[in-house]
Amino acid sequence: MPIDTTEPAVIRRSAEELLDGLNPQQSEAVQYSGPALLIGAGAGSGKTRVLTRRIAWALSQWNAWPSQILAITFTNKAAREMKDRLETLIGPAAQRMWVSTFHSACVRMLRRDGEAVGLNRSFTIYDQADSIRLMRTIEQEHGLDPKRVKPRDVLSAISDCKNELKGWRMQLKEYAPDYKPGQPSNLGHLEPGDMLNACLYAEYQRRLEAANSVDFDDLIMRTVQMLQVDPQAAAYYRHKFRYIFVDEYQDTNHAQYVLVRELSGVDTTSGASGVAGAAGAAGAAHAAGTQYMQLSPQPQQAQPNWVTVVGDSDQSIYAFRGADIHNILDFEKDFPNAKTVMLEQNYRSTQTILDAANAVISKNAGRTPKKLWTQEGAGSPIVGYAADDDLQEAQWVAGEIARLVAEDGFTYGDIAIMYRANAQSRRFEEAFINAGIPYQLIGGTRFYERKEVKDSIAYLQCITNPSDDVSMRRILNVPKRGLGERAEALVADYAQTQGITFWQALGNTEQIPGMTTRMANPLHAFRSMMEDLIAYAAEHDANPSDIVAHVLQTSGIIDELRKAKDEQEQGRVENLSQLQSVAAEYEQNTPDSSLAGFLESVALVADSDQLPDEGEQRGSVTLMTLHTSKGLEYPVVFLVGMEEGTFPHSRAMDNVTEMAEERRLAYVGITRARKRLYVTRAGERTQWGKAETMLPSEFLDDIPDKLIDWKRKETSVESGESEFGEFGGFQGFGGFGGSRSFDGFDGSSSRGASRGGSHGRWGARSGGASTGSGGSSRNWRDGARGERAFGASGDDYGFDSDYPFDDDDYSTFGAASFGGSSDSRSGSRGRSYDGSSNDFGSRGSSYRSSRSSSYGSAGSSYGSGDSGRRGSSHFRYGTPQEGSSYRSGRSGYGNSGSGSSGSYGSGCTRNGKVTTRRVPRQAPGTGSTAASSGSSAPRNGLSISDLHVGDLVSHDKFGLGKIISTEDKGDNSVVTVDFGSDGIKRLMLRMAPMEKL
DNA sequence: TTGTCTTCCCTTTTT
DNA sequence: GGGAAGACAA
């Protein structure tokens, strides 16, 4: 192997090595020599490989130095992986490259040179919760009601400004020229809007600056500012980073785009003349209306730095966060002499999966046509499943996973569940726990958002940066020191009037008007305790874990939690011990560790950082959102919740742009799968504690029928094979058409109050089963439902022969899933991180929640009764109620309330065995009965062939509407109707209480 | 001032 | 259903 080490520690690879195994396009992308390169990398086209090889190419073929490389990724995990790959390619010298996220890179630059924009190097980074807290304070100080003017909304407007590099002065000038920030004023009379936002932006920014703090968006914006106002710093970085690489370029926002531009020097070098003039104009046009700041006036060097960006416009899924897809679409206009190389050959998925992906994405208008292809064969068909409800969906998935592992040779780690929103994870967690399937949940409630962890971190932030008012006020009375609202307000007011920080005010309590000794004493004690902590931290700066331990002890946080008896508080103690472990790990992995560095690493973690690194053992099924899944791949992927309103999300459905993004998200999801893809949906979904009828996602319609093998095509309601059918659940529908009691009986796809469906029905018949009788009603219903799905244990499934599982499907299922009894789980904490794990040591575990790490090893021990308190609310389903002998039986699901009107009736638990039998319709305790649409689904007499676009209809609930599209799917035909102010609804024709006019 | 009860929103997606 | 902020009483 020809290794040439002209620079110590850099392994110089030969051209042959670096091009080995690449296809012509990849090879071209690696070698292309020029100032600007866009690699259009379709999903699974080997872009990371190309990117790392290109970096190695720069080092070995162009004699670049590692320190001249800046490679930007979107997540820490991606950065870490790229660094690892580079290290294997070029050796330890890879450590000298900057391979990091935008945010980390900016922190690094600001710590070094932030003085130019007024940032002391110990600045703190506010997360969203901190920002909301600050905004709420500001609002209250200005006579605004945080309920009326939602801090989150204001902050999102501010975030938009920052992403477009609009400073507060600019906003103020435009929308509230008379407003004087920093002075007491009442904004209570202002309506939410640009003017108010501008005022609050100014106040917010003023407070951030006083607190020597930044929020996430500031990291980018202020770095750009710094490069623009500090010629020395700009020159330094422009000279340093000769080669800039940006991954996931389609997800950059305007600020990030300008940052790249600033660093490249494309606007400031002689190389930018000529063609660059045009490009500059294009750039400016692109930024039209955003008025970003003046660019640095002087060229610093002869040539712009070389920029390589990689991305796929079809995978742009962060527009909601300000990502501007035009950055990638206009790259060739923005950067002079840019070259584009497209990678379309896919090395990941089967042709079937790619066909589905292509079919879905091709419906997006205005995209550059692109078609993924593979040399792999067609592979297995996509498997579809339509469950009756979300519970059954999760159970079916659990069963199928058990089968995949038992029969098809997959491991749990091969499998991922992807959903649109985090809230969907719970059902799957429950089903997996019950089935003994080890899983790992990515995202959701984050470790660092837990109260006790945030409190502790606030202490640390105050120690490094006592000006941080938000954190200081947060911990003033944590643990309780008898310092309430009043004391805090006195100090805060004083600080405000004196123009000093909260911390400084604490040093002058005797000056504060209205101060009583009862308040002054604990205030003094607090201040001197903090001084001690600061002194301690100064001595032990390189050992954050010691500082954490010391803070937890000295502050009394730990003691307060330990005193509390209940389990929840104990879990919190464990979270804090994990925080300590995270600090210890940071310390070990970071040569120049410091408290500030630790805080920074904590502030910038992302959900995806919880994912195990490559090569790490992945022994569990992964659950995550589609967003988090970007960049990952799994042999088996379950795309769940494929329903209108769930995915696409209801909030996106009336907006063309957002729908396009949803579609890209679907594309991302589909292309994560390598060998097997599943798509599942539920006919009814419980959301906000209420059930809603769901229609199939339009993305399912977009996938050609021949690609999907439906294990179950319709829900029992849709197919009319509901087990309740024979009872004539539709007696209740006698009143159909005339009766308003069927409110919501429209199968409409989504949107708040207009949703409804079978529950409206049930409710009508039962006097409000879904909401009326509260807990017991719900328990009963879920019990009944669980019963339906699982029937009973082991040998007695209780399924009727027409139950729509294939025999294959549940033979394995039952065996693998329902062995043990689980009633000893006493969980009360639901989804919390209960921290029962002490798996702190290994890399990658540091950011992982305890729950996920401990699942990894749990294996099949779930389902047995010894799993401690990992319970979740779901076990409540097995809770005794109404004196029945529940719980003596098996898993939480197996038990059931008794009574439903349907043929399935219920299982009653007897002698630890669940039996299925038919029972009279009255459910004990609830008075509820259940009914569901049966085969005798009522007809409104409408046939799809009678309806045409433009026809007027009258709907019982929505009133007059006009048909804007019809979809003939036989019994399941759907019409889309515009009801004016009630919005556009997709209605299942045969269900809609509607007539043609 | 603290603890408990009530109400409100919540659910997009995240660096 | 559930967490968190606000309202209210001890």
Side-chain angles (χ1 to χ4, degrees), chain A residues 556-627:
Chain A
I557 291 186
I558 283 271
D559 287 343
E560 189 181 55
L561 291 177
R562 284 217 177 102
K563 260 187 266 157
K565 277 274 147 43
D566 73 283
E567 213 177 1
Q568 186 161 354
E569 305 297 303
Q570 292 305 310
R572 292 180 193 272
V573 173
E574 287 172 34
N575 283 336
L576 293 180
S577 93
Q578 182 172 358
L579 179 67
Q580 221 171 308
S581 307
V582 173
E585 190 184 335
Y586 159 82
E587 214 170 290
Q588 265 171 19
N589 296 338
T590 317
D592 51 345
S593 59
S594 67
L595 182 57
F598 171 60
L599 287 174
E600 178 184 312
S601 73
V602 159
L604 298 177
V605 286
D607 283 343
S608 59
D609 295 325
Q610 299 172 345
L611 288 157
D613 285 349
E614 261 176 13
E616 255 189 276
Q617 178 236 353
R618 300 200 302 198
S620 45
V621 175
T622 307
L623 282 81
M624 70 190 124
T625 64
L626 286 157
H627 281 86

Side-chain angles (χ1 to χ4, degrees), chain A residues 377-683:
Chain A
S380 309
I382 295 165
V383 175
Y385 187 81
D388 286 345
D389 55 38
D390 46 345
L391 196 61
Q392 197 196 51
E393 181 190 34
Q395 289 167 341
W396 186 81
V397 168
E400 186 62 13
I401 287 173
R403 198 193 63 74
L404 284 166
V405 171
E407 294 174 15
D408 291 4
F410 291 102
T411 66
Y412 291 123
D414 290 337
I415 301 168
I417 314 292
M418 298 175 190
Y419 36 80
R420 179 63 177 82
N422 276 309
Q424 288 167 256
S425 68
R426 170 171 267 158
R427 283 278 183 250
F428 291 93
E429 290 188 72
E430 292 167 356
F432 291 170
I433 290 172
N434 249 15
I437 295 173
Y439 71 91
Q440 175 189 27
L441 178 82
I442 308 298
T445 314
R446 292 167 59 181
F447 178 68
Y448 294 105
E449 285 166 8
R450 309 205 64 78
K451 180 183 181 301
E452 65 280 8
V453 176
K454 275 227 80 175
D455 287 340
S456 308
I457 287 173
Y459 267 95
L460 302 174
Q461 287 181 327
C462 291
I463 288 169
T464 50
N465 177 20
S467 313
D468 179 352
D469 283 7
V470 172
S471 301
M472 196 65 83
R473 291 170 70 165
R474 178 184 182 109
I475 60 173
L476 184 66
N477 199 30
V478 179
K480 301 226 166 5
R481 317 188 160 87
L483 289 169
E485 212 176 306
R486 190 159 158 67
E488 184 189 335
L490 272 182
V491 180
D493 283 352
Y494 179 73
Q496 169 91 351
T497 52
Q498 299 295 306
I500 57 177
T501 63
F502 195 84
W503 172 245
Q504 287 167 326
L506 280 177
N508 284 319
T509 44
E510 59 288 348
Q511 312 282 322
I512 299 178
M515 183 59 58
T516 62
T517 34
R518 183 152 160 241
M519 281 185 243
N521 288 337
L523 284 172
H524 278 138
F526 174 73
R527 168 134 182 150
S528 62
M529 177 195 70
M530 289 306 291
E531 279 167 347
D532 290 348
L533 288 177
I534 290 169
Y536 183 91
E539 278 172 40
H540 301 83
D541 191 48
N543 299 58
S545 68
D546 289 349
I547 303 177
V548 173
H550 188 72
V551 164
L552 294 179
Q553 282 307 324
T554 312
S555 67
I557 291 186
I558 283 271
D559 287 343
E560 189 181 55
L561 291 177
R562 284 217 177 102
K563 260 187 266 157
K565 277 274 147 43
D566 73 283
E567 213 177 1
Q568 186 161 354
E569 305 297 303
Q570 292 305 310
R572 292 180 193 272
V573 173
E574 287 172 34
N575 283 336
L576 293 180
S577 93
Q578 182 172 358
L579 179 67
Q580 221 171 308
S581 307
V582 173
E585 190 184 335
Y586 159 82
E587 214 170 290
Q588 265 171 19
N589 296 338
T590 317
D592 51 345
S593 59
S594 67
L595 182 57
F598 171 60
L599 287 174
E600 178 184 312
S601 73
V602 159
L604 298 177
V605 286
D607 283 343
S608 59
D609 295 325
Q610 299 172 345
L611 288 157
D613 285 349
E614 261 176 13
E616 255 189 276
Q617 178 236 353
R618 300 200 302 198
S620 45
V621 175
T622 307
L623 282 81
M624 70 190 124
T625 64
L626 286 157
H627 281 86
T628 304
S629 78
K630 196 170 66 159
L632 306 175
E633 60 176 45
Y634 290 85
V636 183
V637 168
F638 286 83
L639 292 184
V640 300
M642 300 294 290
E643 303 123 26
E644 293 287 287
T646 307
F647 185 37
H649 194 272
S650 54
R651 302 261 290 247
M653 286 175 60
D654 41 15
N655 179 311
V656 177
T657 328
E658 286 179 46
M659 272 306 291
E661 182 147 315
E662 295 288 304
R663 195 170 282 283
R664 290 193 293 268
L665 195 53
Y667 175 78
V668 166
I670 293 169
T671 53
R672 299 308 96 198
R674 289 177 51 199
K675 304 212 173 318
R676 304 277 185 93
L677 176 65
Y678 288 81
V679 288
T680 67
R681 67 182 178 93

Side-chain angles (χ1 to χ4, degrees), chain A residues 84 108 216 229 303 557 565 568 574 594 603 637 656 658 678 700 758 784 794 798 807 854 883 958:
Chain A
D84 288 348
R108 202 163 160 185
F216 283 137
V229 302
Q303 292 288 314
I557 291 186
K565 277 274 147 43
Q568 186 161 354
E574 287 172 34
S594 67
V637 168
V656 177
E658 286 179 46
Y678 288 81
L700 289 177
S758 64
D807 284 345
S854 51
F958 303 120

